[in-house]
Amino acid sequence: MTLNAQSRTWLRSWGAQRCWLRQPQLRLDPLANPARSGLHGARPRPIVDMSYSRHFLDFQGSSIPTSMKKLVVTKLSPNFREAVSLRHDVPVPLPGDGDLLVRNRFVGINASDINYSAGRYDASVKPPFDVGFEGIGEVVALGLSASARYTVGQVVTYMRPGAFAEYTIVPAKEAVPVPSVKPEFLALLVSGTTAYISLKELGQLSEGKTILVTAAAGGTGQFAVQLAKKAKCHIIGTCSSDEKSGFLKSIGCDHPINYKTENVAAVLKKDYPKGVDVVYESVGGKMFDLAVNFLAIKGRLIVIGFISGYQTRTGLPPGHVEMLPAKLLKKSASIQGFFLNHYLSEYQMAMKHLVEMCENRELVCEVDLGDMSPEGKFTGLESVFRAIDYMYMGGNIGKIVVELPHSVNSKL
């Protein structure tokens, strides 16, 4: 095999000890005659397979560096700034046979990033460990098996731990190909699929039902509103500003309630005396208590989170659960939790449908890049800390996304 000048330069810059060209694989010639090959102790004639070597080079006009930045949990704490450190000069990982190496262009922020850095999802995982759940970028290198489905330069999104890094290894079977590097696709990975699958599996939505969505202008709430509206339901959405109320109206919310200027309980009591059929709840604490109180007969409350408690020591918000059994019994009502990891069998189907809806402009995928935050746009891994603070201050409209610019020259 002959390498061109650009490839030779690139290989030298990478260093011989980390060359992307793996040692040639030897395989037996299936046409060799076993009897003949055994004569005089000779071995079967080998065939050198180097056909895949080009897949380990980045032909998009930039070289893959030897090191990168990434965020690492070094201490378990609900305080993200205390738990996580930005590390420099981390070796760029090598993709295995079925893996992709993705150069991240945008990463998504989730309320549960704090739960993960606090060690609440898996007590067996001890620091240091990588953090961040979702990213979108280009494939810059990949293994032989992965090359059957993907090529260098292809854009993919993914959901897996370790996204808060400049480069991330993604198993090809977990990657989701998308048409372009649009941050809007990040809104679908966790937030969109959570709303889609939870409402489909637990919501039992039908025309004319009344749905209350809390934190409706957030990353997941925006999709719950739109998907419930497509089911021809009447949508109530709580939010924290008039700007958010306007956004909610623009995506189909029938009755936005600004809890900073309106009494949510009073509004629900006056306008919905029979209660609400489904509550899509992600706030917890007093909002959870209120939601339980306003469930209709046979009403259902879907819990997808309780952000008001994530930053506390226990991760639980204050609440009054003593009377909960009696309240549910009195109304034949129910409460059910939803955790996306328990529904991964539905994930690929949901993502495919959501991407199609987004591409066909049937779904608004609002992203917040931090332009209106106190210190401006979220750019670089350093700004992940600010982005999480911004989320917990309730400043965002839609999904919070951080851009990871690259100084390298790319044709994509």
Side-chain angles (χ1 to χ4, degrees), residues 202-258:
L202 310 179
Q204 301 178 33
L205 303 185
S206 59
E207 184 174 355
K209 296 290 186 181
T210 301
I211 315 298
L212 170 63
V213 180
T214 63
T220 303
Q222 64 170 326
F223 294 112
V225 168
Q226 294 178 79
L227 294 172
K229 192 64 180 178
K230 288 182 180 296
K232 299 182 179 180
C233 298
H234 178 88
I235 317 298
I236 311 161
T238 66
C239 62
S240 59
S241 71
D242 291 339
E243 184 183 5
K244 292 182 179 183
S245 290
F247 168 69
L248 289 176
K249 288 180 180 178
S250 74
I251 61 172
C253 182
D254 299 287
H255 193 160
I257 303 175
N258 180 353

Side-chain angles (χ1 to χ4, degrees), residues 104-404:
N104 294 315
R105 296 283 293 276
F106 296 93
V107 294
I109 304 297
N110 293 281
S112 51
D113 287 327
I114 281 182
N115 282 336
Y116 194 64
S117 65
R120 292 171 182 152
Y121 285 165
D122 187 350
S124 67
V125 178
K126 304 299 181 185
F129 57 87
D130 298 344
V131 67
F133 291 125
E134 53 194 358
I136 182 172
E138 308 98 356
V139 175
V140 293
L142 69 170
L144 175 58
S145 296
S147 69
R149 293 179 54 201
Y150 293 94
T151 60
V152 167
Q154 190 167 357
V155 178
V156 297
T157 60
Y158 63 89
M159 179 189 71
R160 70 181 340 261
F164 291 162
E166 291 179 321
Y167 293 83
T168 301
I169 292 290
V170 180
K173 62 183 179 180
E174 297 179 15
V176 179
V178 289
S180 60
V181 186
K182 289 172 56 178
E184 285 79 7
F185 289 124
L186 276 185
L188 304 177
L189 284 168
V190 174
S191 300
T193 56
T194 293
Y196 184 100
I197 299 172
S198 60
L199 288 175
K200 176 176 175 287
E201 297 292 325
L202 310 179
Q204 301 178 33
L205 303 185
S206 59
E207 184 174 355
K209 296 290 186 181
T210 301
I211 315 298
L212 170 63
V213 180
T214 63
T220 303
Q222 64 170 326
F223 294 112
V225 168
Q226 294 178 79
L227 294 172
K229 192 64 180 178
K230 288 182 180 296
K232 299 182 179 180
C233 298
H234 178 88
I235 317 298
I236 311 161
T238 66
C239 62
S240 59
S241 71
D242 291 339
E243 184 183 5
K244 292 182 179 183
S245 290
F247 168 69
L248 289 176
K249 288 180 180 178
S250 74
I251 61 172
C253 182
D254 299 287
H255 193 160
I257 303 175
N258 180 353
Y259 63 80
K260 291 288 185 70
T261 59
E262 301 176 82
N263 184 308
V264 179
V267 172
L268 293 177
K269 184 176 181 180
K270 174 179 178 293
D271 295 341
Y272 305 94
K274 293 183 179 181
V276 295
D277 300 301
V278 178
V279 179
Y280 197 79
E281 222 290 278
S282 61
V283 177
K286 293 180 179 179
M287 186 62 76
F288 174 85
D289 295 337
L290 182 150
V292 170
N293 291 337
F294 282 94
L295 281 173
I297 301 298
K298 298 183 181 179
R300 295 177 303 283
L301 194 155
I302 303 171
V303 178
I304 65 156
F306 39 91
I307 190 173
S308 62
Y310 291 172
Q311 292 179 297
T312 64
R313 182 181 61 81
T314 62
L316 297 172
H320 304 89
V321 299
E322 300 87 358
M323 297 300 296
L324 185 57
K327 290 179 179 179
L328 296 178
L329 179 63
K330 182 179 178 181
K331 297 179 178 180
S332 293
S334 63
I335 298 176
Q336 191 163 353
F338 177 88
F339 187 50
L340 183 59
N341 284 7
H342 298 151
Y343 291 84
L344 293 182
S345 61
E346 305 288 321
Y347 185 81
Q348 292 288 344
M349 175 276 298
M351 268 300 292
K352 182 176 184 296
H353 192 192
L354 288 167
V355 168
E356 289 175 354
M357 294 172 70
C358 183
E359 281 291 280
N360 295 332
R361 301 184 183 277
E362 298 172 8
L363 198 65
V364 174
C365 304
E366 187 71 16
V367 297
D368 191 331
L369 286 161
D371 296 284
M372 303 305 293
S373 68
E375 296 177 50
K377 187 177 179 179
F378 303 130
T379 304
L381 288 172
E382 298 85 352
S383 66
V384 167
F385 300 96
R386 283 200 301 117
I388 288 179
D389 290 342
Y390 182 64
M391 170 180 287
Y392 278 87
M393 289 188 297
N396 61 296
I397 296 180
K399 177 76 176 183
I400 300 179
V401 173
V402 174
E403 183 175 5
L404 303 187

